[in-house]
Amino acid sequence: MHRVLVILPLYGGSLPIGRYCATALKDLGCLVETFEAPEFYSAFQALQGLKVSSDRQNFLENSFLQVVSQAILAKVEAFQPDMVLCLAQAPMSRQALQRLRSMKVPTAMWFVEDYRLFTYWRAYAPLYDIFAVIQKEPFLAELTAAGVANPLYLPLAALPALHAPTPLDPKDMQEYGAEVSFLGAGYPNRREAFARLVHHKCKIWGTEWEDAPALAPLVQRGGARISPEDAVKIYNGTHINLNLHSSVDANTLVSGGDFVNPRTFELAACGAFQLVDKRSLMGELFAEDELATFDSMTDLEEKIPYWLAHPEEREALCRKSRTRVLADHTYQQRMRTLLDFAKEHLPEFGTRPEAPMPESIPPAMQKELQDILKEHNLPAYASFNDIITALRHKEGVLSSAETALLFLDAWNTLYASKE
Amino acid sequence: MNHLLVVQLARLGDLIQSKRLLLSLAAQPGAQVHLCVDASLAAFAAALFPFAHVLPLPAHATGGATPESVFTAARHTFAQLQEIPFSAVYTLNASPLSYAIARLFPPEVVCGYSCPNGQPMRHPWLELAARWTRHRLSSPLNLIDMWAHLHPSPIAPQAVNPVATPAGQGRIGVVMAGRAQRRSLPVPVLVACVEALFRAYGGPTIVCLGGKGEVPLARQFGRQLSPHAQRKLEDTTGRTELLDLMELLPTLDCLITPDTGLMHLATHFGVPVQAFFLSSAWCFETGPYGLGHNVWQATVPCAPCLETAPCHHNMACLAPFSQPGFLGHLAGTQAQQWPQGLTGYRSALDDLGVCYHPAHGTDAGVEERTSRRALLAELRLHRLEPAAKGAEALFQEADWMLP
């Protein structure tokens, strides 16, 4: 049974993806712990609000990140994972990564960002044992040239337990329902593009839409961040979900870039209809008849009325795209790919000795043990150490059987090695 | 009923040293005290603390314990404990066993070593204790009082043990050895000390005390005694259980002992103790509790040392115990000069607990210890102590700033 410690970022778009990874890994039978970096975010914000010199600010922020990195190392020491999986912007210092390497703890980064925008990858990528990315060439070759031993193309995905068809009640329909919607951050190309679509009375959800007066009446909830659960309601309540990949270039509204964003998979898994801009890597992820696409603003403007007028065709397409995502593009599949890749490429992965279930569990206790396995979502082949780890991490009061197992483990630690 | 639980899984000495806390809990209105101890000590604990409901746990690897027997017995006791609505649970040992047991209860009722949601934590008071015990020379508080002050208002130190008083039956006890050999006087030195006290007490019966492991020592001891003392020897080693000792100890005029559980049991009955502390034993941590006890403490520069570390000083702490100046003092003659590296302490009590005043020799740590003790008095007794100094060395930022 593999143990994976998932390091979440402090904030941002990769945060929910980290949580989806943790869920998927659990579904695959892994023992998973997450490092809840978002809980440290308010401390970081407080530092940012100090109004001190930039040198001092910089020093304080670095000190803060060192503390968080040390907390991660302490968690690694306690949990003894087979792999530390970091999501983009995880607060993992270079020093901490070097320490993990010297401890022979395999590390993986899923860099779910555009390498052209987030160029800091060069300083960190070689420190990870696996560097998974959502883009292909020339990025993969560049990673190898930069000294990354194990680059891996790992496109984004959906989490079927969350991203699912969801009927809305009338109240939710009132709030979330629309003919045309967009959910996402207000990148320059989107601001420019949606300014041309105001006549559709499109609802715009998400952050960073300030300073766009033409769109202000369309922005929902004052531009607040939207939770993943609310996003599913928006997707399900909308006839046409616009999905325009982000670009910082306001001159090229439909950028024709390479990677496929998470929204593409999430919308498809929801069985919601989307009009998505074509991407160079889209063809190997979806067939032509599984997505409705556009390749220019003119194309988009022509297709909106068509699809609004053909609900049956929309539904047929949605069924196809959902079937494809469930078959090939779930986070469970991505995590399976990552684990298989680790097995193949990292000699240290999965070599932690497994303690067998001791014969000390009396037959009468077997039933309770099975209940414990079930409660903690552990497979029947879980080792004694895995059960103990799960019990240690359980929140709240333990049962007498659970406590007796912890007690036995402590007793073994104190005495068994001395016999 | 107010159900209160103390989990004390260590050995005999620590069990007895939990007494002030146990008595403090028992003094609460409507209190029913429960006590979890190792199964080997359960009957003894029940006899020692009759007010407590004792529950056994297989905490020690003794008596042919197997993982299966440990699991089954622990599960049984834990099921019993979960039936009782405890308002407070005191876990006293810094041990993985304690942290495991703490998970059985809501974190808010656990005091001591707790493990809320799987995070091992020390009570702030124990955190402070861990800090002060790093500087043993100036260690300000005895273990009994350290545990007792987990309680917001422990009973008065005077109410813990009777004032030491000889039984008047012309019998003195000699504990042959403690668990750690290095902390016990070797037989020739012990013989010299006992002979001196034998003279001081006017030739009483000498009762040898110890388990089966001490039988050869007792024989050796007997052979080396003077013929007069040999005639007064009563060897009980290997023939007494703890419950027997509860009858035997109160018959003594004094107990000659290293730092042992029997020493603490003697103080429980008010038997005067002549305690020999050397090597890693340090009376300011685990000395005899109550009024009227003597501690002969090795205070050579390397004392107190670490029990687990090898001695590179040729056991220098032993030498003073053979010096004529000390033996003469024990015998009541006091003709010779008091030896270097040895301090004679007399036990005393103040509002905080037990303390030891030097009656012979020097006490290098007294100034700093007094300051620290005053700091602790301010903290626990809520009053100003002009002697309180060196706060910055004892208290840290986290005490001041963190919840």
Side-chain angles (χ1 to χ4, degrees):
Chain A
M1 179 174 196
H2 296 304
R3 294 184 187 202
V4 183
L5 178 61
V6 178
I7 313 296
L8 300 175
L10 289 161
Y11 71 107
S14 54
L15 175 56
I17 296 174
R19 296 199 189 284
Y20 303 154
C21 291
T23 302
L25 286 163
K26 283 178 193 166
D27 290 346
L28 294 177
C30 294
L31 193 58
V32 181
E33 272 283 299
T34 54
F35 180 81
E36 291 288 339
E39 292 181 4
F40 294 82
Y41 187 49
S42 57
F44 172 70
Q45 285 179 306
L47 290 178
Q48 284 194 315
L50 282 177
K51 300 179 181 67
V52 296
S53 74
S54 59
D55 282 354
R56 191 61 77 184
Q57 179 79 23
N58 190 264
F59 171 77
L60 290 168
E61 285 179 7
N62 281 320
S63 303
F64 166 78
L65 288 173
Q66 290 305 322
V67 169
V68 178
S69 281
Q70 288 298 318
I72 293 172
L73 289 179
K75 192 81 180 163
V76 169
E77 192 180 287
F79 184 56
Q80 299 193 345
D82 295 301
M83 176 190 280
V84 176
L85 171 59
C86 301
L87 271 293
Q89 293 169 289
M92 187 76 112
S93 68
R94 265 178 273 197
Q95 197 183 7
L97 285 165
Q98 283 158 348
R99 175 91 182 111
L100 291 181
R101 184 159 282 179
S102 71
M103 290 164 68
K104 298 195 183 309
V105 177
T107 55
M109 157 62 75
W110 194 3
F111 184 65
V112 292
E113 300 286 359
D114 184 345
Y115 73 90
R116 296 179 192 90
L117 299 180
F118 294 81
T119 56
Y120 61 74
W121 61 267
R122 284 191 183 279
Y124 289 87
L127 297 171
Y128 284 93
D129 297 316
I130 295 174
F131 202 78
V133 298
I134 57 173
Q135 291 155 294
K136 285 189 166 177
E137 299 305 342
F139 189 28
L140 290 172
E142 199 61 36
L143 283 170
T144 304
V148 175
N150 301 297
L152 168 69
Y153 171 62
L154 196 65
L156 287 156
L159 190 74
L162 173 67
H163 304 120
T166 309
L168 303 190
D169 61 28
K171 183 170 166 289
D172 279 347
M173 199 63 207
Q174 178 76 25
E175 182 174 5
Y176 300 106
E179 286 201 334
V180 182
S181 288
F182 174 79
L183 166 58
Y187 276 81
N189 67 320
R190 290 171 176 164
R191 290 174 179 225
E192 197 63 33
F194 297 151
R196 300 183 190 179
L197 304 175
V198 287
H199 56 282
H200 286 293
K201 302 207 183 322
C202 161
K203 280 187 179 175
I204 294 177
W205 303 83
T207 59
E208 299 168 42
W209 294 100
E210 304 85 1
D211 308 322
L215 300 176
L218 309 181
V219 175
Q220 308 296 303
R221 291 188 184 170
R225 185 172 286 277
I226 300 299
S227 71
E229 292 74 19
D230 283 351
V232 169
K233 290 181 182 174
I234 292 164
Y235 297 156
N236 279 283
T238 299
H239 291 168
I240 295 179
N241 288 280
L242 299 179
N243 184 1
L244 176 62
H245 284 72
S246 62
S247 171
V248 291
D249 181 2
N251 297 318
T252 312
L253 304 189
V254 181
S255 60
D258 49 7
F259 69 89
V260 176
N261 67 14
R263 198 172 303 109
T264 308
F265 302 98
E266 293 166 5
L267 281 160
C270 284
F273 183 80
Q274 63 181 307
L275 254 173
V276 57
D277 54 329
K278 279 190 179 167
R279 309 288 286 176
S280 65
L281 292 171
M282 195 173 263
E284 59 191 74
L285 299 166
F286 292 95
E288 283 284 334
D289 63 348
E290 289 171 341
L291 284 176
T293 59
F294 61 93
D295 54 18
S296 67
M297 281 307 294
T298 311
D299 192 20
L300 173 62
E301 287 183 65
E302 284 173 7
K303 285 178 174 171
I304 290 174
Y306 174 82
W307 287 108
L308 279 176
H310 296 85
E312 293 83 7
E313 284 185 48
R314 286 203 313 261
E315 279 176 28
L317 197 63
C318 289
R319 277 194 294 275
K320 280 188 180 177
S321 56
R322 176 170 156 76
T323 303
R324 180 64 192 269
V325 166
L326 296 184
D328 294 324
H329 305 313
T330 64
Y331 281 102
Q332 285 80 354
Q333 284 154 331
R334 298 295 185 256
M335 291 299 101
R336 168 52 58 205
T337 302
L338 179 67
L339 294 175
D340 289 345
F341 185 82
K343 258 184 244 171
E344 196 178 328
H345 292 82
L346 305 181
E348 288 95 8
F349 181 70
T351 54
R352 179 176 47 82
E354 295 272 358
M357 195 64 71
E359 293 166 6
S360 53
I361 309 298
M365 289 303 299
Q366 290 293 347
K367 160 104 180 44
E368 282 178 277
L369 191 63
Q370 292 309 312
D371 291 343
I372 290 171
L373 291 173
K374 197 172 167 189
E375 185 192 333
H376 293 275
N377 198 25
L378 295 171
Y381 56 82
S383 71
F384 184 67
N385 284 349
D386 290 332
I387 296 172
I388 293 301
T389 300
L391 292 178
R392 281 206 190 108
H393 289 83
K394 182 180 176 181
E395 305 240 323
V397 174
L398 301 189
S399 71
S400 58
E402 290 171 329
T403 310
L405 280 172
L406 281 188
F407 187 88
L408 174 60
D409 178 63
W411 190 89
N412 280 333
T413 305
L414 288 172
Y415 306 118
S417 59
K418 295 174 187 165
E419 284 176 353
Chain B
M1 187 159 289
N2 184 13
H3 292 281
L4 304 155
L5 173 65
V6 173
V7 181
Q8 174 52 274
L9 301 181
R11 297 183 185 276
L12 175 68
D14 285 359
L15 171 60
I16 302 169
Q17 289 178 93
S18 310
K19 183 179 179 183
R20 190 178 174 198
L21 173 63
L22 286 162
L23 290 175
S24 303
L25 295 174
Q28 288 184 203
Q32 170 60 60
V33 176
H34 306 258
L35 174 61
C36 248
V37 297
D38 180 64
S40 66
L41 294 170
F44 170 74
L48 191 68
F49 304 122
F51 57 87
H53 167 223
V54 176
L55 295 108
L57 270 176
H60 303 169
T62 52
T66 63
E68 177 164 4
S69 68
V70 168
F71 179 87
T72 307
R75 166 75 163 77
H76 177 72
T77 297
F78 294 154
Q80 283 182 281
L81 289 173
Q82 273 197 323
E83 293 296 312
I84 304 169
F86 292 109
S87 58
V89 174
Y90 293 83
T91 45
L92 301 186
N93 315 108
S95 143
L97 298 174
S98 278
Y99 287 123
I101 295 171
R103 299 297 312 271
L104 200 58
F105 309 101
E108 61 273 16
V109 305
V110 180
C111 179
Y113 297 92
S114 60
C115 201
N117 296 323
Q119 174 60 58
M121 306 270 278
R122 270 197 291 234
H123 186 281
W125 174 247
L126 297 179
E127 188 64 45
L128 193 64
R131 219 175 288 154
W132 80 57
T133 51
R134 283 183 210 129
H135 305 280
R136 299 182 66 194
L137 201 62
S138 57
S139 195
L141 206 64
N142 180 284
L143 184 61
I144 296 184
D145 296 318
M146 184 191 89
W147 280 330
H149 281 282
L150 281 171
H151 192 283
S153 51
I155 60 161
Q158 292 77 5
V160 177
N161 287 332
V163 176
T165 310
Q169 296 183 23
R171 291 156 62 81
I172 61 172
V174 181
V175 177
M176 286 292 110
R179 278 181 57 243
Q181 193 190 355
R182 222 166 77 184
R183 291 159 62 125
S184 304
L185 294 174
V187 170
V189 182
L190 179 63
V191 166
C193 294
V194 172
E195 288 278 8
L197 286 164
F198 180 70
R199 286 197 292 281
Y201 277 83
T205 299
I206 301 170
V207 183
C208 286
L209 301 164
K212 288 192 175 71
E214 281 74 59
V215 171
L217 270 182
R219 285 194 188 131
Q220 204 184 337
F221 172 79
R223 282 197 297 271
Q224 293 184 28
L225 282 175
S226 64
H228 180 38
Q230 276 182 0
R231 283 194 292 278
K232 295 285 207 164
L233 189 65
E234 183 181 317
D235 184 4
T236 69
T237 54
R239 291 186 284 120
T240 48
E241 299 294 332
L242 281 173
L243 291 172
D244 303 323
L245 290 168
M246 292 183 73
E247 292 182 10
L248 193 157
L249 286 180
T251 68
L252 301 176
D253 288 342
C254 88
L255 183 73
I256 300 161
T257 178
D259 182 9
T260 60
L262 288 193
M263 177 192 77
H264 295 296
L265 188 56
T267 64
H268 171 82
F269 292 117
V271 176
V273 161
Q274 300 280 354
F276 293 80
F277 274 51
L278 62 150
S279 179
S280 59
W282 191 237
C283 68
F284 296 98
E285 296 170 343
T286 54
Y289 203 95
L291 287 174
H293 304 292
N294 289 320
V295 182
W296 311 107
Q297 173 72 60
T299 47
V300 290
C302 54
C305 61
L306 270 179
E307 193 171 306
T308 48
C311 174
H312 298 299
H313 301 278
N314 199 26
M315 285 300 288
C317 57
L318 259 179
F321 293 98
S322 308
Q323 295 295 309
F326 171 60
L327 295 173
H329 179 85
L330 279 186
T333 56
Q334 300 186 19
Q336 312 262 346
Q337 194 181 7
W338 185 260
Q340 291 284 313
L342 186 68
T343 306
Y345 288 104
R346 190 81 176 151
S347 65
L349 298 172
D350 63 15
D351 291 347
L352 206 55
V354 74
C355 47
Y356 302 92
H357 295 318
H360 309 279
T362 57
D363 183 353
V366 66
E367 198 176 329
E368 197 176 347
R369 191 180 313 115
T370 305
S371 305
R372 291 190 167 204
R373 198 169 172 81
L375 285 165
L376 296 186
E378 284 197 333
L379 186 67
R380 304 312 287 183
L381 306 177
H382 314 294
R383 64 188 189 197
L384 281 175
E385 294 281 337
K389 291 187 180 69
E392 64 284 357
L394 190 60
F395 301 136
Q396 293 183 349
E397 280 89 346
D399 304 326
W400 177 243
M401 301 173 200
L402 297 182

